[in-house]
Amino acid sequence: MPAVDQSPANRSLRSARLRTRVTLALAIAILIPSMYGFAGKFYEFLHLVRGESDGAFAVAPILNYLLASGGFLLLLLWATANGMFHDIERPKHTLLDREQQLDAAQRRK
Amino acid sequence: MSAAETRSEEITPPQDLVDTRLVLWYFVAACVFLLISMLGGILMALQLVHWNPLAGLELFSPGRWRMIHTNAVAYGFLANAFLGALHWAVPRLTMHRVASQALSYFIFLAWQAIVLLTAAGVVLGPSFQDQAWVAEASRNLGISMSLGAQGLEWGETPFWIDPVALLGLLLVAVNFMVPIAKAKGPLYVTLWYFMAAFVWTFLTYAMGNLLPEYTVAGTSAGAIGGLFIHDLVGLFVTPLGWGLMYYFVPIMLQRPIWSHGLSLVGFWGLAFFYPLQGIHHFLYTPIPMFLQHGAIISTIAVELVVTTVVINFFGTLWGQGRAFVDNLPIRWFYTGMIYYFLTCLQCSMQVTLTFQKLIHFTDWVVGHAHLVMFGVFSMWLFGVMTYLIPRLLNRPWYSHKLCEWHFWLSAAGVLVMASDLILAGVFQGYFWAALQPWDVSVVASQPFWITRVFAGLAMFGGFLCFLYNFWMTWSARSHV
Ligand code: HEM
């Protein structure tokens, strides 16, 4: 049986892979049913606004929702187009590096 | 990816990146308002066990105190503590100062004035209401002028303060968005949460305070009220709270958050699923059932999103469990997270119509409110203060023992209070379902309400330890 590479580099590669897989699995498992239920209800709202007597009632909440979520959808599209999610794990390392830099600068004062 | 590869380029931070004095001032203001709010809570609790020490004083009647209790907590304590923490975190995350230091001080003073005026309006407003000039001004201006509290839960800020509060929120957004806009590279999840909170808080406040007052009426206004109260928790307090945890936990543990990708799933999930769920507060009301069902579905979606956050934080702690014992701020944070998980579990039950039938209007909801507002968000903010105050003052805590007392009295007090009230709610629900006279349920609630007084006193005692410790650390007397 070939020996398993236990070097730190290989271990961190494996843990990064595990993290990506868990993130993807959770994203799919959570977002798809949520979106399904949510979109279904939203579709129903829109029908009511157009037809039924209760429809007028739905206008205010839907407008509020569209106002807030429309803005966020644009932000999501803008962020994706600008590479904000390219190297998705990088910002968490940048945070710690900067904190170290700032603490060191404060100690030097 | 190797550490060398991930290392960010060196950026020279500007001089005086963080205005530490302002952060400290915000924390002091937060503590003053929490002290007032807790006293209000204790007075309310005493009133409910027929021992109101201020009985007969109209200005301090329980109805007014209750609003002081809730408003001082939301706008006095939470908002001030969050603003203090933001003044620390945003410049350090972006490596840029806030837009204007002068504006920061102006906002600080204006915000205190807004909270104090709200308190004055709530306490004094009803007493002025009967004056002839009020009726006349109301007629001349063509608006119904209620000088006291606005008739909207959590939006009791008198109507004449609303425009000033909105202006204040706008200035807060501008002051922090400028450094965020200047930040280079992909944003860390905390900044996503903060940005969202600035936009949402403004919109939520405007929607909740202006629409029911001036445009929609009746049950439609009720529906907007439902969105407002929940969005205030979910779109103001939650993103700021989570944002701060994503910032402070990795720093305290000296290791990055387990998965940044997963944290972004949580953020965007909150952004899209949260805004419609507020009506779940008004299940079984005359609001059309399709809106109630919609709120239930989006609540379940958010429950799932919350799971990602909890997994991520516990994944980060994995292998460093000892920090939960040894590191006090981490203990505050993770205890808050455990309570967070409990409130969400509770929420998943109470959002079902079957369960609502039993617990609606009971003390179950009050128990839930304390668990989330004190057990989660206040605990997180206490953790942040426990970590930052020695750094801001440049000296260690006067007494570590008092820090421990603060933690244990708060954590235990709120657990007792919440469990007690949740149980009281179940009893009350069954009394009402059995069509017992109202008085019977009130008498049966007494043991629970007495327990609440003691739990409240424990929480208050913990906070007094903190205040004394803070004072002694500041005045730098000898260490214990
Ligand atoms: C000294 C400890 C406290 C005591 C004795 C206390 C007591 C009370 C009482 C008696 C009420 C009114 C319940 C009713 O109308 O039936 C109340 C409401 C409330 N309190 Fe407290 N409280 C305390 C601390 C806090 C803190 C620190 C927070 C938040 C950080 C808080 C948040 C709330 C909220 C959100 C409500 C409204 C609940 C609702 O309307 O469902 N309380 N509290």
Side-chain angles (χ1 to χ4, degrees):
Chain A
M1 201 168 36
V4 182
D5 180 0
Q6 288 293 357
S7 66
N10 192 46
R11 265 213 305 268
S12 94
L13 194 71
R14 269 187 295 158
S15 90
R17 262 199 225 125
L18 171 75
R19 193 174 13 252
T20 312
R21 281 193 199 135
V22 173
T23 303
L24 278 177
L26 280 173
I28 292 168
I30 286 172
L31 294 183
I32 290 180
S34 303
M35 300 257 244
Y36 176 75
F38 194 76
K41 260 299 141 198
F42 203 75
Y43 183 69
E44 216 176 290
F45 278 6
L46 292 180
H47 261 278
L48 276 151
V49 176
R50 276 200 252 124
E52 297 185 21
S53 58
D54 270 348
F57 217 102
V59 175
I62 287 184
L63 277 185
N64 271 312
Y65 178 74
L66 287 180
L67 208 78
S69 304
F72 274 92
L73 189 62
L74 291 180
L75 188 65
L76 179 63
L77 295 177
W78 173 86
T80 315
N82 279 278
M84 286 278 178
F85 311 125
H86 230 89
D87 181 359
I88 208 161
E89 297 297 320
R90 181 154 65 97
K92 70 182 189 187
H93 299 290
T94 314
L95 163 79
L96 288 181
D97 290 345
R98 291 216 176 132
E99 279 296 316
Q100 263 173 15
Q101 250 173 275
L102 288 168
D103 287 349
Q106 201 176 355
R107 273 194 298 274
R108 277 198 298 272
K109 264 196 210 164
Chain B
M1 194 184 300
S2 73
E5 274 173 285
T6 57
R7 198 150 208 98
S8 59
E9 79 265 42
E10 294 266 322
I11 299 179
T12 322
Q15 282 286 314
D16 300 325
L17 183 65
V18 173
D19 186 340
T20 47
R21 183 176 55 177
L22 190 61
V23 179
L24 213 48
W25 282 14
Y26 268 118
F27 287 169
V28 172
C31 288
V32 171
F33 285 118
L34 184 60
L35 187 73
I36 296 170
S37 169
M38 282 184 140
L39 282 171
I42 291 172
L43 277 174
M44 269 303 299
L46 288 172
Q47 147 80 12
L48 288 168
V49 295
H50 310 296
W51 200 79
N52 179 3
L54 302 179
L57 291 179
E58 191 196 334
L59 283 185
F60 294 121
S61 57
R64 295 182 204 188
W65 258 120
R66 191 191 191 283
M67 286 186 277
I68 294 286
H69 176 58
T70 50
N71 281 276
V73 146
Y75 304 114
F77 171 62
L78 293 176
N80 269 315
F82 276 135
L83 281 168
L86 284 171
H87 273 279
W88 175 274
V90 172
R92 289 176 73 97
L93 275 161
T94 58
M95 292 287 198
H96 291 284
R97 278 194 290 255
V98 290
S100 154
Q101 205 180 12
L103 181 60
S104 293
Y105 279 90
F106 174 74
I107 293 171
F108 173 80
L109 294 174
W111 195 254
Q112 310 321 313
I114 287 168
V115 183
L116 289 173
L117 283 173
T118 302
V122 164
V123 174
L124 301 172
S127 308
F128 280 109
Q129 198 58 48
D130 298 335
Q131 314 271 326
W133 64 268
V134 178
E136 193 169 324
S138 178
R139 238 191 334 273
N140 292 342
L141 295 172
I143 49 173
S144 58
M145 290 226 307
S146 116
L147 289 187
Q150 206 172 327
L152 178 82
E153 194 180 356
W154 283 105
E156 290 95 354
T157 354
F159 82 98
W160 43 276
I161 298 177
D162 289 339
V164 192
L166 275 170
L167 185 66
L169 291 174
L170 198 63
L171 293 178
V172 169
V174 170
N175 208 20
F176 289 117
M177 287 296 248
V178 169
I180 296 178
K182 284 188 200 160
K184 290 206 180 70
L187 292 181
Y188 183 59
V189 62
T190 297
L191 290 176
W192 284 112
Y193 273 116
F194 288 172
M195 277 200 298
F198 300 138
V199 177
W200 281 331
T201 310
F202 180 83
L203 288 178
T204 302
Y205 193 95
M207 169 192 77
N209 281 270
L210 304 184
L211 291 189
E213 183 77 19
Y214 302 109
T215 53
V216 286
T219 355
S220 293
I224 297 285
L227 292 180
F228 171 66
I229 46 177
H230 207 81
D231 286 358
L232 211 57
V233 178
L235 302 180
F236 155 53
V237 182
T238 303
L240 290 179
W242 282 2
L244 287 178
M245 286 306 96
Y246 276 119
Y247 172 69
F248 282 106
V249 166
I251 292 174
M252 303 293 320
L253 290 176
Q254 295 281 316
R255 58 151 59 164
I257 190 76
W258 185 68
S259 164
H260 190 248
L262 194 58
S263 70
L264 289 174
V265 172
F267 169 74
W268 291 103
L270 187 82
F272 291 114
F273 300 135
Y274 205 97
L276 268 181
Q277 62 166 295
I279 291 169
H280 69 201
H281 284 264
F282 293 144
L283 300 182
Y284 284 121
T285 57
I287 293 174
M289 276 327 273
F290 71 89
L291 278 180
Q292 300 187 28
H293 288 149
I296 294 173
I297 300 249
S298 48
T299 306
I300 295 167
V302 170
E303 293 290 335
L304 294 172
V305 168
V306 161
T307 320
T308 63
V309 179
V310 174
I311 290 177
N312 213 355
F313 278 111
F314 281 88
T316 310
L317 187 67
W318 195 258
Q320 279 200 21
R322 190 78 215 154
F324 185 73
V325 181
D326 297 339
N327 185 325
L328 194 51
I330 284 291
R331 203 187 315 147
W332 278 109
F333 297 157
Y334 276 85
T335 311
M337 280 174 214
I338 294 170
Y339 287 160
Y340 193 79
F341 185 71
L342 289 179
T343 55
C344 291
L345 205 66
Q346 205 191 350
C347 204
S348 63
M349 289 191 259
Q350 68 203 25
V351 80
T352 61
L353 286 166
T354 328
F355 213 73
Q356 272 292 320
K357 229 185 244 174
L358 180 69
I359 54 115
H360 205 98
F361 292 131
T362 70
D363 270 338
W364 170 288
V365 183
V366 183
H368 176 70
H370 284 90
L371 193 58
V372 74
M373 296 302 259
F374 188 86
V376 180
F377 296 109
S378 305
M379 301 260 292
W380 285 351
L381 286 166
F382 284 140
V384 169
M385 289 191 207
T386 305
Y387 168 61
L388 282 186
I389 284 172
R391 292 199 59 161
L392 295 168
L393 293 172
N394 254 327
R395 65 195 71 139
W397 276 108
Y398 161 75
S399 159
H400 187 72
K401 244 188 222 151
L402 284 174
C403 287
E404 288 285 341
W405 274 103
H406 180 209
F407 173 81
W408 285 109
L409 286 172
S410 305
V414 73
L415 189 64
V416 172
M417 182 187 276
S419 332
D420 168 64
L421 292 173
I422 288 166
L423 197 59
V426 175
F427 275 85
Q428 290 160 352
Y430 277 119
F431 274 114
W432 300 342
L435 300 180
Q436 292 284 318
W438 168 260
D439 290 1
V440 175
S441 72
V442 172
V443 172
S445 300
Q446 285 301 310
F448 295 104
W449 290 346
I450 292 171
T451 310
R452 170 185 31 208
V453 173
F454 287 104
L457 287 174
M459 285 151 66
F460 189 57
F463 184 56
L464 290 182
C465 292
F466 176 73
L467 284 185
Y468 179 70
N469 208 6
F470 189 179
W471 169 253
M472 294 301 279
T473 308
W474 200 331
S475 54
R477 310 255 171 90
S478 60
H479 300 319
V480 170

